[in-house]
């Protein structure tokens, strides 16, 4: 036991909380700096940088033959990146996909995936690859003292900490990545535009983001789809480093069909067709008849959408599809990168370009200084060789007679050890007669180069000019036209559910027991269809299948559901209680349907009512919504529909045969409530239940009404109605004998 205690005492002991915190922070920093975020210098993550460097070491330049991808992946894993082969190969494939990278770094041969399924690439043992010509901009200056070299994971090799990129690859190809507590989403851009902005910043260091956006109006994805984000939003995105970009598919009309010719970045044609087909199968896209994918080698993207008829509003249909499918897509932008300081930071466009230009100027400075050192060293050696040629006999004598000729040469001719070593390494063939002339010629050339290098290094303007010249040369060689055109458009709006349902005439039938069904057409006589035993007709409403069916219960609450979801009238229907929660003792009394803006009058049997719109009765609540406030023990009367544009007359009748007609304009328009008094009924008779308002209708000019008393009815025309006209809330006039007990009132059909 003592031995165990003693062995533990020899180790450092720290609290588990501190150990866990430190371990997680270390892991977080590793993920941020060595895996997920790109460096501003070359715009690459470590795995991408190692793949490109390994390929250069294998000699896989753009002019070489392709080699098996497995060979490259093996070298990357074995020498620089000890991680999973599938992840490494996937990173390699991504850099070879022209639909993923704006300027691909790898030229692949074989199946490297397709826009339909970017991850459908073949295994690495089947594909071959080499670097693309554009990758030369990352590697051309690698062996020129431009970058720091660090040991690889096992310390046996050296690898570049960064690649000496001649172009701001961080913006050209963009990148995405998720680290711990942070992420990056940088969209790709056009090479010519970015180079133009860099030159503007070199010439005018105080240029603002707005001025730089004159050169870079927006991202440029590897697709012909259009960017519809507003100019102001793009400018704000570049000013803050945060924002979003919205892309929309390109389409055209061809013989009445809609042909989609370009999709947003990383959108699969198969997925878009699947999304549209799903809506068609759910009967939520009645205006589309057929879908076809006619994409081929000549037309990489060609999706055909066939409208049901030429009456379909194509613009409205596409607006709906843009809002509900990947035909329009939003891309998050978060310019989070590892800056020159080695720390992750979110940069605006100006700061990003400025930091990259600083990196580029430092790279060019290191390159020139490295070359200057080479030139100075060579001039030093040439100076020693020239001394040897001018004294060749003495040199030969010393070499032949001395055991250690190097120190003798150094002391005799006053030369350095480097010069003496160069003399001793001379080959006999270089002792030719003309060699002295060659040395003097080379000396003159190198001396001129040294002066130029020193002059350039000593002038900031010359350095900027050198960087600018290189940028323009690369833009000329690798640049191309913008692919993603910028077009400001309004955001797409999905159609309402009722607009997506076939508009067919239907009749909503409600039974006394609260069973409901929908019959096709308006010609059906709802009183003659079959009902359950003990059940009978209660009320019906004529509308269309793409409208809401509304039900008013005995407590004045309104319930609604889409009319097309109701069962067919061929069946006995279904109980409304299966759809809604009805209060105890309540009963569904009336059915209402129509356009949302359709006006109607709601009233209670106590003679109070108001004008409202059908949309006010709509409710998604299972318990409905309180609509009509009922005074005392009154109940709702049948709602009166108002024809569009009608400013007609309200006709009310009581159970005792009192009838009153007054202008519709006298009634208030409310969204819910009790309303105003329509017809005056003595309070004592109301409370005793001896008299109540039996119903009311709204008629247009010239229309007639029918007042029923049991099986008898009385037709009241325009002339007769004048006798019953009066002010709202008055008693009205009594109907003739025989109609003292009115049962209902209705508008006479023509």
């Amino acid at each position: 036991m003592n031995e165990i205690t003693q062995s533990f005492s020899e180790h450092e002991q720290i609290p588990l909380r501190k150990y866990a915190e430190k371990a997680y922070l270390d892991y977080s920093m590793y993920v941020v700096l060595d895996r997920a975020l790109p460096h501003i210098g070359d715009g690459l993550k470590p795995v991408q940088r190692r793949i490109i460097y390994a390929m250069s070491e294998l000699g896989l330049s753009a002019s070489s033959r392709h080699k098996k991808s497995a060979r490259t992946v093996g070298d990357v894993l074995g020498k620089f990146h000890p991680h999973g082969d599938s992840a490494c190969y996937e990173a390699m494939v991504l850099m070879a996909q022209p639909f993923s990278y704006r300027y691909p770094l790898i030229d692949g041969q074989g199946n490297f995936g397709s826009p339909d399924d970017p991850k459908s690439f073949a295994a690495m043992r089947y594909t071959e690859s080499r670097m693309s010509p554009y990758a030369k901009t990352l590697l051309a200056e690698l062996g020129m003292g431009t970058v720091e070299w660090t040991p690889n994971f096992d310390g046996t090799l050296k690898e570049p900490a960064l690649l000496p990129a001649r172009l701001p690859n961080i913006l050209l190809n963009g990148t995405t990545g998720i680290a711990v507590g942070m992420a990056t989403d940088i969209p790709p851009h056009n090479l010519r535009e970015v180079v133009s902005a860099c030159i503007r910043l070199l010439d005018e260091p105080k240029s603002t983001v707005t001025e730089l956006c004159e050169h870079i109006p927006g991202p440029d994805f590897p697709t012909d789809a259009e960017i519809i984000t507003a100019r102001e939003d793009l400018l704000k995105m570049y000013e803050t480093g945060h924002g979003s970009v919205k892309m929309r598919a390109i389409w055209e009309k061809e013989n009445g069909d809609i042909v989609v010719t370009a999709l947003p970045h990383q959108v699969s044609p198969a997925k878009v067709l699947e999304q549209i087909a799903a809506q068609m199968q759910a009967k939520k896209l009645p205006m589309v008849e057929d879908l076809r994918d006619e994409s081929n080698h000549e037309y990489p993207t060609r999706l055909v959408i066939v409208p049901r008829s030429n009456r379909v509003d194509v613009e409205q249909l596409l607006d709906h599809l843009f809002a509900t499918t990947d035909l329009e897509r939003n891309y998050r932008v978060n310019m989070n990168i590892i800056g020159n300081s080695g720390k992750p930071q979110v940069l605006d466009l100006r700061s990003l370009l400025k930091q990259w230009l600083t990196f580029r100027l430092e790279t060019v400075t290191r390159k020139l200084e490295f070359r200057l050192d080479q030139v100075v060293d060579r001039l030093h050696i040439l100076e020693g060789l020239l001394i040897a040629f001018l004294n060749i006999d003495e040199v030969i004598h010393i070499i032949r007679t001395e055991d250690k000729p190097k120190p003798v040469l150094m002391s005799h001719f006053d030369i350095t050890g480097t010069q003496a070593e160069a003399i001793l390494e001379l080959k006999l063939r270089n002792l030719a007669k003309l060699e002295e002339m060659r040395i003097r010629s080379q000396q003159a050339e190198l001396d001129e180069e040294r002066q130029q290098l020193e002059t350039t290094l000593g002038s900031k303007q010359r350095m900027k000019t050198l960087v600018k010249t290189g940028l323009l040369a690369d833009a000329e060689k690798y640049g191309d036209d913008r692919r993603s055109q910028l077009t400001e458009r309004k955001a797409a709006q999905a159609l309402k559910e009722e607009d997506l349902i076939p508009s067919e005439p239907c009749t909503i039938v409600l039974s006394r027991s609260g069973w409901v069904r929908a019959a096709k057409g308006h010609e059906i006589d709802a009183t003659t269809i079959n009902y359950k035993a003990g059940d009978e007709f209660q009320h019906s409403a004529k509308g269309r299948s793409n409208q809401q069916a509304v039900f008013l219960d005995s407590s004045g609450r309104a319930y609604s559901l889409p009319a097309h979801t109701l069962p067919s009238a061929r069946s006995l229907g279904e109980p409304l209680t299966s759809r809604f929660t009805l209060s105890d003792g309540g009963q569904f009394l009336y059915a209402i349907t129509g356009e949302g803006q359709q006006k109607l009058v709601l009233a209670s049997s106590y003679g109070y009512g108001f004008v409202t719109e059908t949309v006010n009765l709509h409710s998604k609540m299972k318990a409905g919504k309180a609509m009509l406030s009922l005074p005392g023990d009154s109940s709702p009367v049948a709602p009166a529909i108002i024809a569009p544009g009608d400013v007609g007359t309200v006709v009310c009748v009581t159970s005792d045969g009192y009838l009153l007609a007054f202008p519709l304009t006298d009634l208030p328009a409310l969204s819910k409530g009790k309303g105003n008094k329509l017809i005056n009924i003595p309070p004592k008779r109301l409370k005793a239940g001896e008299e109540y308002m039996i119903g009311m209708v709204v008629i247009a000019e010239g229309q007639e009404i029918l007042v029923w008393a049991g099986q008898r009815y009385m037709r009241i025309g325009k002339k007769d109605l004048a006798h019953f006209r009066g002010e709202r809330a008055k008693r009205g006039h009594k109907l003739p004998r025989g109609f003292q007990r009115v049962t209902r009132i209705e508008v006479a059909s023509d």
Side-chain angles (χ1 to χ4, degrees), residues 47 62 101 109 128 148 239 255 282 294 380 382 432-433 449 473 479 506 556 664 674 726 742:
V47 65
Y101 262 45
Q109 188 169 276
E128 297 180 344
E148 297 289 342
E239 285 176 340
N255 300 324
E294 296 182 356
H380 181 62
L382 288 176
K433 186 177 181 181
E449 185 181 354
C506 68
L664 175 64
K674 175 182 174 183
V742 177

Side-chain angles (χ1 to χ4, degrees), residues 326-367:
D326 283 347
L327 286 175
E328 182 176 301
R329 193 167 177 183
N330 204 51
Y331 299 88
R332 192 171 67 111
V333 175
N334 179 24
M335 297 195 194
N336 188 11
I337 54 180
I338 299 172
N340 288 333
S341 63
K343 298 177 182 178
Q345 51 196 282
V346 177
L347 300 175
D348 60 80
L349 181 63
R350 182 179 180 276
S351 301
L352 192 151
L353 289 177
K354 200 158 188 178
Q355 281 207 32
W356 184 82
L357 286 171
T358 301
F359 165 80
R360 181 62 189 149
L361 283 166
E362 287 176 358
T363 302
V364 172
T365 301
R366 293 181 67 156
K367 173 185 169 184

